[in-house]
Structures are given as C-alpha cells and as structure tokens.
Amino acid sequence: MNLKFCILFSFFVRNVIARGGYRSTSLSSAADLGFENESYAGSGRHLIEENQSHHPRTDIARGYMTNSELERAVKEFWRRCSHISRIYSIGESVRGFPLWVIEISDKPGLEEPEPAFKFIGNVHGDEPVGRELLLLLANWICDNYKRDPLVDLIVDKVHLHILPSMNPDGFSFRRRGNANNVDLNRDFPDQFFPWNNNEDARQPETKAIMSWLREMRFTASASLHGGALVANYPWDASLDKRKNYYACPDDGTFRFLASIYSKSHHNMSLSKEFEGGITNGAAWYPVYGGMQDWNYIHGGCFELTLEISDNKWPNAKELPTIWEYNKMSMLNLVASLVKTGVHGRVFSSDSGRPLPGLITIKGINYTVKTSRTLADYHRLLIPGERYEVMATVPGYKSKATHIWLEKEEATNVDFILDPEVSSDGTLLRSICDCGGKSRLLSIGYFWGTHFEVYLVLIVVLAFLCFLLTRRIKSKLLKQRSPRKRSVLTV
C-alpha cells in the first residue's frame, strides 16, 4: 500500500468516524488513528482544556517549520514576491519573537478604497496546521497571479494580511498557551463578563492584535484552529453561560460566510455532527474572552473561527492533503468580500471631500464605520435580498437608499450628503476629524471627478483675463497720449 493511499485512507476513516470530535494532543492515542471514542463526539473544545497537561511527543514537530524557519520563509516570500507584497511585524511574543505579517495586494502598503481581510494562524501553540497552510496560501497566490482569475480578483481588489503565527512561543513549548501559559483565545475583552478588561494585564500577543485593529480597518477575518472540522461563527458565548444558540445581529451574514468556507471544502459540509459543516459558537460551547466576538464588537470585523483538521497536530505528511482540502475554501472566503455586499464612499456635496461616517442597515442592529481618510465602506450582507442602506455623518443630512443584492454580485453605492443648515442660515460642519491628509485626498478626488468642468472654466477665465489685460493696456496707451490723458478711467 503506497503512502498516498495510506494518507487518503487515514482521512476517510477520521472524517467518517469522528469529524469534529475529541481534540487529542497526543499522537499515541487512538484518536490520532481516527478511532476516537464515540462518546466524545461533540465535546470538541471542552476536552482540550481538561487535557492541557498531556503534552504531545517532541517528534510530532518533525516536518513542521520551526519559528526561525517560519521567519526565513516569510522573508524569502517577500523577496520572491515583492511586486505584490510587503512584510511587517505587529509586535512581539512574550519571548521576543516578531509577529510577522504578510500583506498581499497590487499596491501593498497603500490605502485604497478596498476591503481588507486577515488570516491568523497558530492562535493555540499546539495547533500548528494553520501556520503551514497560510505560507502555502501566500505562495500559491504569488505563483498564480495573472494566471488565475480568482487570484487576480483577490490581489487587485482586496488587501490580504496573513499572520502565520500568533503564538510562536506556545508552538516552541508544544502547548496551548503562550510562554506565560495563557490561552490567547480567552484573553480579549468580553461583552458578558468583564474580568479581563485591564489592558495592562493582557498578554503582549493579545495587545498586538488589538493595536493592529485600531491601526487598520479589516472588513473580515478568520483564525485557523485544529481539533475539529467546522466553521464557527458568533456569538461565541452567551449571557447565561449555557450551551445554546446565541445569535449576533448579523447572524444570517455569518452563516452565509461560514457556508462559503464549508461548501468549498472537500468534506466539511458533509459533517454528521455539525449541519452543513458550520456552527454557532455558543451552541457548540461558550467561550469567554475570545478573539472572534471581540473583532466583531470592537473592530468592526466579521471574523470566523475555522477548525480545519480533526487532529490538532497531524503528521506533517498529511499537510499537502489538508492544504488541498482547504485551498479553495480560503480563496473563496477572501474573494467573497468583493463578490457580495454593498460597497461605496461618502462625500460632501459642497466640497466633494470624503466624509468619515457611519453605515447602517435597516433591521440590523450593527453599524459599520467608513475609513477616516477615504471614507470608503464595505458592508457584508446576504445576497438575494433587499436592504435599506443609510449613511450618517454629524453635521450633514443623512441619506438612505434601497438596494437589491444579486447573487455573486456586489452593489456599489456612493453617498453625497448635504450640510445641515442652522436656523440662522449658517452651515453646520461635521465634527469628524478630516485632517490635512483627508483634505488633500478629497481635493484629488473632486478634481478628478469634475475635470472637464474645471477645464472649461479655466479656459473661459483665461480668455476673460486676456480680454481684460488688452483693455487695460489699450487704456494705458491712450493715457500716455496728451490728447486723452485727462479722460482716463479704469
């Protein structure tokens, strides 16, 4: 029996018997062979915490990149693909390892009116599959740019940011938590129980992610985990701490995004444990202090938690197969940012400058902010439905419009808002911060959109100036004449 057949057989057995079941941390257990005890089915993430003290054997790292190798791989990728990428660090781990990010775009590092997506891998140190797949994804995009229409769409229309490892220290220790043995996916501010709201007490990796989202506006994101096979969406917790479905305001949109990943996957949507291969986090089991809910509440970012392999730390020989199973899911999820939803910008009618403001959808209790400089917005919604979209900016009259979202086709709506006028007739200016950079950008935009009008005005003004100059010169000449000097008037 050759190696390829063995790998395929292993995946078949694992997915038939225990898809999304018990997350073992040891390759010596029966679970690693795909024969988990059926009584563990559905327990998923609960049992991880109970088995944190059960460390994996040191040889399971064989075939996976070390942290130093990961850093070299990131830098080598940038050298090879610098025409569509840049690399940067958002901070350091407890032990000082840089948290490297790869940005992929046709204009990396530049702000454009385009949506941004981020992938985060290795949130838990003992779940390293994500860091391997994210490097494979980056290289796949580089190799297929200008060859594959889907890749072209992503590079040209999205700013994709990839953080292969959020927890490099945990990977080194072969354990779930970071160097301080803290679970990073329980270290974010929580909407229900504010036990971890002291920012100074949080881990450096957590602080780095939070600062990253304050500096950069992401439309959507996904973190990659292991130990099950399912796409998880908010809410990840509930107020009563019970295992019940707890829907967020954009529950339908999240189900749509999770289904994109699941249906594009080789077998995730065939799950017998999770209908359609997706699950509401609280319905699976409540998580408090999680990164997913924090992204949606505080970052304006629609984040999924993707469980991409039944085994938390599979043999490295299985990585090519896991990559093939997840490749199209990852690509289609990123591409969904420009294939659906409503997108646009907000401008002032009197000056043409971009207006930072808010976008709301009637019937959905969730607000999306425009960017501060370009005033662009990207609102993900379920396709095939009608929506009322409203733009609001302080000091300006709000405007709303009705749209119909076609399937596999996004809608673009720009709003041009009129300034509000006070009772005494003066204009009420926006209190939004529109500094020098914004004004310069708005001048460029307004000039570009009204170029022909300005050109005609310039020609007319130049001609009038020419006539006036000739008239003045003519009168000056007459003034110098003795016969006309006393009658000169200008």
Side-chain angles (χ1 to χ4, degrees), residues 22-29 31-32 47-49 51-57 60 126-127 174-176 311-313:
Y22 171 55
R23 297 185 190 181
S24 169
T25 55
S26 169
L27 286 184
S28 60
S29 68
D32 298 316
L47 292 173
I48 299 175
E49 297 167 1
N51 288 275
Q52 285 190 32
S53 61
H54 188 86
H55 298 304
R57 296 204 311 261
I60 67 173
D126 59 349
E127 298 170 16
R174 313 283 190 265
R175 70 185 183 200
R176 182 181 179 84
N311 194 339
K312 293 179 64 179
W313 202 316

Side-chain angles (χ1 to χ4, degrees), residues 84-86 88 101-119 141 153-162 212 216-220 334 337-338 374 376 378:
I84 59 166
S85 70
R86 72 179 177 110
Y88 62 97
V101 176
I102 297 171
E103 180 188 2
I104 298 177
S105 168
D106 60 338
K107 296 178 182 177
L110 297 180
E111 186 172 7
E112 298 182 274
E114 297 178 352
F117 188 100
K118 62 179 168 66
F119 273 120
I141 291 175
L153 178 69
I154 291 172
V155 175
D156 295 339
K157 301 297 182 180
V158 179
H159 281 255
L160 173 60
H161 298 254
I162 296 173
W212 192 20
M216 193 166 297
R217 191 175 56 101
F218 290 100
T219 300
V334 178
L337 268 63
V338 291
L374 301 179
D376 60 305
H378 309 278

Side-chain angles (χ1 to χ4, degrees), residues 373-393:
T373 52
L374 301 179
D376 60 305
Y377 70 91
H378 309 278
R379 186 41 163 111
L380 299 178
L381 294 164
I382 309 171
E385 296 189 13
R386 294 186 182 276
Y387 299 94
E388 181 179 326
V389 187
M390 176 178 286
T392 304
V393 175

Side-chain angles (χ1 to χ4, degrees), residues 227-246:
L229 199 63
V230 66
N232 182 99
Y233 55 89
W235 294 125
D236 232 351
S238 60
L239 185 59
D240 59 7
K241 296 186 178 182
R242 293 182 180 179
K243 179 183 172 182
N244 291 314
Y245 197 112
Y246 209 70

Side-chain angles (χ1 to χ4, degrees), residues 36 44 75 141 328 382 485:
E36 292 101 319
K75 293 179 178 179
I141 291 175
M328 290 309 303
I382 309 171
R485 186 174 299 169

